[in-house]
């Protein structure tokens, strides 16, 4: 696990609007993997795992524990990436091709972005990506299985 020296992963939430509220300046360790009562099917969990491996290879990310404040599923994978969100958006979108459903969405008054991904070209939503800047050159990328609503 990576220990963050300057940026803590606080203030992230997925309750409708995505936001990164604060970065802590004191040294911190990544949070333990989040536990969630929400369940996902085995097929979507596999899709999220596969996507996490693929994206991690493309962005050269390091797997870290997902912050508990994210409230993501047990299938979620969090990646710490030493790169700016702007350059990562284009890299990830290009890697996914037709499996990316639309483009990155950034809610008003937020720096975090999300992208829906299918398991196959133009297929149904299987997973999503959440990208939150930690600093100008550090990004947290969350890959999680899509849950039926």
């Amino acid at each position: 696990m990576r220990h963050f020296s300057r940026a803590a992963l606080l203030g992230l939430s997925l309750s409708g609007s995505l936001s990164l509220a604060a970065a802590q300046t004191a040294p911190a360790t990544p949070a333990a993997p989040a536990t969630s009562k929400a369940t996902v099917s085995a097929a979507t969990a596999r899709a999220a795992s596969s996507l996490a491996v693929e994206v991690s290879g493309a962005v050269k990310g390091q797997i870290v524990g997902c912050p508990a404040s994210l409230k993501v599923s047990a299938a979620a994978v969090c990646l710490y990436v030493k790169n700016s969100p702007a350059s990562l958006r284009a890299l990830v979108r290009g890697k996914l091709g037709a499996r990316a459903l639309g483009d990155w969405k950034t809610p008003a008054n937020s720096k975090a972005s999300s992208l829906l991904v299918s398991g196959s070209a133009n297929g149904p939503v299987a997973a999503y990506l959440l990208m939150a800047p930690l600093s100008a050159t550090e990004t947290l990328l969350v890959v999680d299985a899509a849950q039926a609503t």
Side-chain angles (χ1 to χ4, degrees), residues 73-139:
S73 76
V77 177
C78 290
L79 302 167
Y80 168 79
V81 184
K82 283 194 165 196
N83 211 333
S84 70
S87 62
L88 290 176
R89 281 185 196 99
L91 180 65
V92 170
R93 182 70 176 82
K95 177 72 175 168
L96 296 175
R99 291 182 297 150
L101 302 173
D103 207 356
W104 288 96
K105 305 290 185 221
T106 305
N109 300 321
S110 179
K111 294 181 181 179
S113 301
S114 62
L115 179 67
L116 297 176
V117 182
S118 65
S120 60
N122 300 316
V125 175
Y128 68 89
L129 296 168
L130 169 65
M131 185 179 301
L134 300 173
S135 72
T137 60
E138 298 175 309
T139 304

Side-chain angles (χ1 to χ4, degrees), residues 44-55:
T44 54
R46 278 192 303 276
S49 280
S50 175
L51 179 62
V53 169
E54 183 178 4
V55 169

